[in-house]
Amino acid sequence: MRGFGELEAVIMDRIWDRDSEHTTVRDLYEELCAEREIAYTTVMSTMDNLHRKGWLVRERAGKAYRYWPSLTREEHSARVMLEALESGGRPDLVLSHFVDQISAEESAGLRAALRRHTARQTPG
């Protein structure tokens, strides 16, 4: 996932999978340590880094913090796509290559999204 280190991506995926449920470091640590050897302080510092970078929001809950994502997974993906479009050379060619690579179902979804966008932009 662009913009995230390996552990950051794992943590963000776990948090996004929670459907915006507030999450503590302890919650994620317990999940992760069941699958890999990891220190509590590593999870804590990674979540703190994600907060400082603006990917997580937090509020104090007793001595700990509760965290939740500042963007949905889809909003993040859209941001990554926009960054790729802006930095990938000619936007028309980038879009053309993108459309060449997507499935018929994805193409239909893209057309539907463009129709919704156009309808919102049209006055009256």
Side-chain angles (χ1 to χ4, degrees):
M1 204 175 311
R2 188 170 176 203
F4 298 127
E6 182 183 338
L7 183 57
E8 289 177 332
V10 169
I11 287 173
M12 288 304 298
D13 274 338
R14 298 288 175 113
I15 291 173
W16 278 322
D17 288 344
R18 292 174 184 274
D19 296 325
S20 76
E21 175 187 323
H22 293 183
T23 304
T24 65
V25 171
R26 170 99 23 227
D27 293 336
L28 283 178
Y29 167 73
E30 289 174 359
E31 279 183 34
L32 293 172
C33 75
E35 301 168 7
R36 62 167 81 184
E37 192 170 313
I38 192 164
Y40 178 88
T41 53
T42 300
V43 177
M44 183 175 64
S45 62
T46 302
M47 290 176 73
D48 183 60
N49 288 341
L50 286 165
H51 169 71
R52 283 188 290 105
K53 291 177 181 180
W55 296 110
L56 292 177
V57 179
R58 71 182 181 194
E59 68 182 8
R60 197 162 274 292
K63 293 182 180 181
Y65 286 103
R66 289 188 308 210
Y67 292 85
W68 62 94
S70 60
L71 298 173
T72 66
R73 184 189 317 262
E74 293 77 13
E75 289 167 332
H76 168 70
S77 295
R79 184 179 283 181
V80 169
M81 291 169 64
L82 184 58
E83 288 174 8
L85 183 62
E86 292 172 345
S87 66
R90 288 184 38 202
D92 59 325
L93 293 178
V94 172
L95 285 171
S96 179
H97 288 294
F98 174 74
V99 170
D100 288 344
Q101 296 177 45
I102 63 176
S103 70
E105 184 178 311
E106 292 164 332
S107 179
L110 178 57
R111 282 192 304 277
L114 287 170
R115 280 192 299 275
R116 286 190 304 274
H117 176 73
T118 301
R120 285 194 313 262
Q121 299 295 319
T122 305

